[in-house]
């Protein structure tokens, strides 16, 4: 109720501001409204359409649950892999100067801007059975396409950069003198990380990990190209939505709303972390 | 400067509205028609000056769903009667407006180097074979499962043949051309696609499916009830049904309607 009253009075203030401040503000407001409508209306429509007495029977249907389980497992594994291998890399990028550093930085930025279909094709050409490197793997009896491993690789490829970027910034913000002091006091690498770096850069790391998780959950293009589509093995939620809307629009909408919900929660979490971080540093 | 910015908004918003003078025929066609219809579209453009033919190739079930959700098109060419019937049921196409315009059969394909050494239809049930099919919502996927049903009824293959073959499926693709792509890349050991797909990708190995097991896929074509260019749509369909049109389709491995 308090929140409601608060938003009412701020709305009233907004209109009063408009009335007093004249037409100049419309130059900002009108174009903004167009874009806000474009961003908001589809999601609103999705939620409205999902308000159906069958929502739960759709959301809890066996194929929906299978894809949900697969999505959660694969995306969490992608996050763990990203943290395990991305944290040292992020630290190196934050603290060290080395040959080829700018090349590595570019490589990490690329998947963020690349279309996922390019990522999927690249993975297939590299690690497919007849791929540039995959042909050697297949001689060892390892075949990656059409496996759950391929799903995780696709997710990690597109989502790891988000964590690495966030962690690099987090590490860079830690005062170098703190680190030097820890070294002087005889801390080893592990102690340096567990006692100094993780507590000080923790929020950035967690925020980055959540972003990576959100991106991994939403991965579609690279997965469908590299891993294919098989229920229970490679059919994650985004694939089930894409391929399911022809079978049952209801299931596709229910799954979409669930994904939107999870993404909203995760984004709110990261925003909460950022706010706390700002409050702490002020 | 202000005027330029204003002009930009006007242009950006007006670009969203279609210009009434352009003559563009939009054809939603089953993925298996990709190469054949691309050629037919080019010829149609040369015989009807000022007309551009635009295609949307995808699985027939995808096209029908897009039309249901309000996609604007002039023509729908489906790889099975079922999706055409669905479109009629939804009021997208008038009753009796569709024409059968070609038939197609299915065939087993494998990569040029045939990594799993697929030689006979029985090999499809070999444990560990990587088989890619179109999903069971896609016409080609429905036909493939029908064929497996037919084979399972024959003692030559055994009643568990379909189960064994389906256990080898590593991916259910969203249209038949995706199946071709996975086999062409050598990622899958085999796939079941249309004869026309095999004609369009001659480097692949083929294993014929005998007539008694095979399915004759019948393709219907129709103008959409709300086609903004119904005159052009009628001309295009007439061209597809004409002997020149049928010759092009034949060249790409399709067969005429008996």
């Amino acid at each position: 109720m308090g929140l409601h009253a608060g938003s009412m009075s701020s709305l009233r203030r907004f209109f009063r501001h408009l009335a007093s401040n004249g037409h100049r503000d419309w130059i900002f407001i009108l174009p903004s409204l167009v874009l806000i409508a474009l961003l908001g209306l589809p999601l609103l429509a999705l939620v409205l359409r999902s308000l159906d007495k069958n929502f739960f029977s759709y959301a809890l249907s066996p194929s929906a649950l299978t894809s949900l389980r697969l999505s959660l497992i694969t995306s969490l594994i992608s996050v763990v892999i990203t943290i395990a291998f991305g944290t040292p890399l992020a630290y190196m990028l934050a603290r060290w100067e080395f040959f080829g550093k700018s090349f590595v930085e570019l490589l990490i930025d690329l998947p963020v801007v690349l279309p996922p279909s390019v990522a999927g094709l690249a993975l297939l050409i590299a690690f497919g059975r007849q791929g540039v490197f995959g042909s050697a793997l297949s001689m060892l009896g390892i075949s990656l396409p059409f496996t759950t491993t391929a799903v995780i690789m696709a997710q990690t490829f597109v989502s790891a950069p988000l964590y690495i970027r966030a962690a690099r910034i987090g590490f860079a913000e830690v005062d170098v003198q703190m680190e030097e002091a820890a070294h002087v006091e005889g801390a080893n690498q592990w102690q340096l990380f567990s006692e100094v770096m993780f507590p000080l850069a923790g929020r950035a790391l967690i925020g980055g990990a959540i972003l990576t998780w959100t991106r991994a959950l939403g991965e579609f293009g690279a997965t469908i190209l590299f891993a294919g589509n098989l229920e229970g093995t490679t059919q994650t939620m985004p694939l089930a939505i894409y391929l399911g809307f022809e079978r049952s629009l209801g299931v596709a909408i229910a799954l979409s709303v669930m994904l939107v919900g999870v993404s909203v929660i995760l984004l709110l979490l990261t925003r909460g972390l950022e706010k706390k971080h700002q409050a702490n540093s002020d | 400067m202000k005027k330029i910015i204003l002009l930009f908004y006007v242009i950006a918003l007006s670009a969203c509205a279609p210009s009434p003078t352009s003559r563009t025929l939009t054809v939603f066609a089953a993925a298996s028609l990709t190469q054949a219809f691309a050629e037919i579209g080019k010829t149609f453009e040369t015989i009807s000056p000022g007309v551009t033919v635009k295609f949307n190739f995808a699985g027939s079930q995808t096209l029908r769903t897009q039309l249901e959700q309000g996609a604007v098109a002039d023509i729908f060419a489906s790889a099975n009667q079922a999706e055409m019937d669905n479109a009629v049921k939804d009021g997208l196409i008038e009753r009796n407006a569709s024409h059968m315009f070609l038939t197609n059969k299915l065939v087993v394909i494998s990569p040029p180097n045939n990594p799993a050494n697929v030689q006979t239809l029985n090999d499809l049930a070999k444990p560990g074979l990587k088989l890619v099919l179109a999903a069971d919502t896609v016409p080609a996927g429905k036909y493939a499962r029908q064929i497996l049903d037919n084979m399972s009824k024959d003692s030559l293959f055994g009643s568990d043949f379909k189960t064994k073959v389906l256990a080898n499926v590593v991916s259910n693709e969203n249209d038949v051309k995706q199946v071709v792509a996975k086999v062409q890349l050598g990622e899958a050991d085999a796939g079941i696609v249309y004869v026309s797909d095999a004609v369009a990708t001659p480097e692949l190995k083929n294993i014929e499916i005998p007539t008694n097991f095979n399915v004759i896929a019948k393709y219907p074509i129709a103008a959409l009830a709300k086609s903004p260019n119904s005159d052009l749509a009628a001309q295009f369909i007439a061209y597809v049904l004409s002997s020149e049109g049928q010759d092009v389709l034949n060249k790409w491995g399709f067969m005429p309607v008996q």
Side-chain angles (χ1 to χ4, degrees), chain A residues 74-75 77-79 81-82 111 116 119-120 122-128 133-134 137 142-161 216 219 222-223 226-227 234 236:
Chain A
T74 52
S75 60
I77 294 175
S78 297
V79 171
I81 291 173
T82 300
L123 282 165
L124 200 55
I125 299 298
F127 301 116
F133 311 107
L137 287 176
I142 301 168
S143 175
L144 291 169
F146 309 121
T147 62
T148 308
T149 311
V151 175
I152 296 167
M153 285 173 75
Q155 288 176 348
T156 308
F157 185 95
V158 299
S159 69
E219 207 318 292
T223 309
F226 182 45
T234 56
T236 54

Side-chain angles (χ1 to χ4, degrees), chain B residues 106-178:
Chain B
L106 286 95
V107 65
V108 173
I109 52 168
S110 52
N113 62 348
N114 201 357
N117 194 25
V118 182
Q119 300 293 346
T120 66
L121 293 176
N122 259 318
D123 290 341
L124 293 180
K126 272 198 302 198
L129 179 102
K130 286 185 199 304
L131 179 68
V132 173
L133 295 182
D136 60 3
T137 47
V138 185
K142 285 201 177 100
Y143 293 134
R145 284 162 179 84
Q146 242 171 289
I147 289 169
L148 295 175
D149 274 331
N150 294 344
M151 291 167 82
S152 298
K153 285 181 196 137
D154 195 293
S155 58
L156 204 63
F157 299 99
S159 58
D160 58 348
F161 184 72
K162 185 186 183 186
T163 322
K164 282 200 235 158
V165 173
L166 289 185
N168 285 338
V169 171
V170 291
S171 185
N172 289 304
E173 300 292 328
N174 203 34
D175 68 56
V176 70
K177 290 297 181 194
Q178 294 296 319

Side-chain angles (χ1 to χ4, degrees), chain A residues 45-58:
Chain A
L46 198 62
V47 173
L48 285 179
R49 214 22 112 67
S50 74
L51 300 175
D52 183 308
K53 59 180 188 315
N54 292 324
F55 178 82
F56 287 103
S57 70
Y58 289 140

Side-chain angles (χ1 to χ4, degrees), chain A residues 33-49:
Chain A
L33 281 180
V34 170
L35 211 54
I36 288 170
L38 180 66
L39 297 175
L41 290 182
L43 295 177
L44 179 71
L46 198 62
V47 173
L48 285 179
R49 214 22 112 67

Side-chain angles (χ1 to χ4, degrees), chain A residues 211-226:
Chain A
L211 271 183
T212 286
W213 190 22
T214 323
R215 182 69 190 84
L217 266 179
E219 207 318 292
F220 169 69
T223 309
I224 201 164
L225 269 164
F226 182 45

